[in-house]
Amino acid sequence: MQVEGALVRAPVAPVALAPPGAGVVGVGALLLATTVLLLLLLLAERARRAYRDYLHMHKVVADMPGPPTLPLVGNLLDVVAGGDDYIYDNICRLVARHGPTVRVWLGPELVVGITDPRDVEFVATSQELIDKSPFYGVLEPLLGLGLSCLGGQEVRRHRKIVMPSLHLDILHDFVDTFRREALRFADRLEQHADDGEVFDVAPLCVEYSLAAALQTIMSTELDDAGDEGRREFGGWLQGAMDVFMYRVWRPWFLNDTLFRLSGRHDQYVRTTAALNGFTEAIIVDKRQQLAARKPSDATEAPRRPRRRAFLDNILDSEEGSALTDSELRDEVKTLLCTGAETSASTLSFVLMVLSLRQDIQDRLVQELDDVFGGDAADAARPVTMEELPHLQYLERVIKETLRMFPVLPFFTRSCPRDWLPSGHTAPRGAHLTFFLPALHSDPRVWPEPRRFDPDRFLPERSCGRHPFSYLPFSAGPRNCVGQRYAMLLLKVEVATLLRRFRVLAPDDTADVPGRDIADVPIKVTLVIAVKGGVRIRVQRRH
Ligand code: HEM
């Protein structure tokens, strides 16, 4: 029937019905593909730019002296030959052979080493070259955005805030703590004087310099933390710094993704978390103490603790209130890391030198006796702030130690432009690096550079010397903010130890005056150290 037929529906072609959510998946896939494409384009663009900069650097340094390079690795094999313990020797040899200005390729990273005082002055004092090189980025997870890692305007702001809390007037308060820790150090040496055995003094230098730094920078209450607590903190610092150097000498690990795959990553994360937790807890505690000390009545003066650390001073200051908790945490960690290791290493080198040069030790002891008195009773009298400026020979011994053994031997700046006063061209993107061992041993400035002679620093022998031929604390807008702190700490430590003990070389045959200190084997981690430790004996003087 017509009507029925009309009612019969024509067969409908089956429509492929999309499952629920299929449209969303389609859009998602499209977005994903676009993102991947954009990322690939971005990576390609980055690779293109990196390659262009790399070619530019190659072209610019084509005539700069340097060792022959290999594809991909550049001069890395020359630098790391023999293992980490030989890196310092290898670098010094390369610079001596090719310097004063030298180019070294660490894989794709170009290091331009400068040792000519004119170049050093230009780079150190330039307001334009104040950014540290990207190598320091590796320190950032550890130190955060403290002074060592910051650049640009931020570094100026932070230095303005931090430096008043390390002013000489404030350092006066620290001398008490320096003295107490130096006396503890001396007490610890008693047992070595009893048994007369040879021992490595370097770990003790770290322990007591770190103890002094923990109390003066972070909190005087850490006085009670005990040897165990300090050793633990020192262990974290040491571990983190070892990883830093591990990455620097293996430039492929400068890449975070590759580093995450390395065995050292977990250790780095753990130590950094431990350091952060420890520092943050102290800041919280200090803030609470500060709030509790605020006078309830405006006419009442705030109660001031007897001994104050850097952290107390900065929290209390107008400048310090401009720092957030995390900025403060990073500055405190930075001061501890940069301050303790450098001072400890310098102290251990001074003791090593004195053990090998009894003639210099005799002259130093004479000065100490003149200033403090030479009796046994005088040896126990604490060093005072007023006496420290009279220790002129000691100051020269420390300076000469830092000339021959600059504990931070290499440090770098980013290079945003293409020339140097000595006529060489350092390309944009290079790591402009100060090489202190070469700067400090240029025979035109330092006659007989291998001879240890503190009197080089007598005023009459220093005049006319290029001011940038000696740079243990760097100079200019990124100089060391702890220079005065370090000199005070070192003077107190050496004076306290030498008033009680004579420091001797491991064997008597080594005690010959004139023995070549310059041949002492050195290795570099973040700071330099004597290979095999600083092995000495001590003998009571009274
Ligand atoms: C003998 C001991 C010391 C030596 C030889 C020394 C040496 C240096 C050198 C060469 C620099 C420049 C590093 C660079 O440009 O990367 C520096 C920077 C620094 N030092 Fe020292 N230092 C010593 C002790 C101290 C102490 C005791 C403190 C803290 C209390 C300290 C805090 C700093 C800080 C925060 C910086 C970074 C400054 C910036 O980048 O603006 N240093 N030090």
Side-chain angles (χ1 to χ4, degrees), residues 24 52 55 129-130 168 171 194 215 239 253 313 337 349 366 401 436 449:
V24 178
R52 186 199 58 195
L55 288 182
L129 296 168
I130 66 166
L168 197 57
L171 296 182
D194 284 337
Q215 292 166 59
F253 284 141
N313 287 313
C337 290
F349 275 101
Q366 186 58 55
T401 304
L436 299 196

Side-chain angles (χ1 to χ4, degrees), residues 10 99 110 117 140 167 194 209 211 319 333 338 349 358 377 451 476 525:
L110 173 65
E140 212 181 291
H167 190 268
D194 284 337
S209 301
E319 300 94 357
K333 281 194 304 175
T338 47
F349 275 101
Q358 294 296 317
R451 204 161 76 84
T525 50

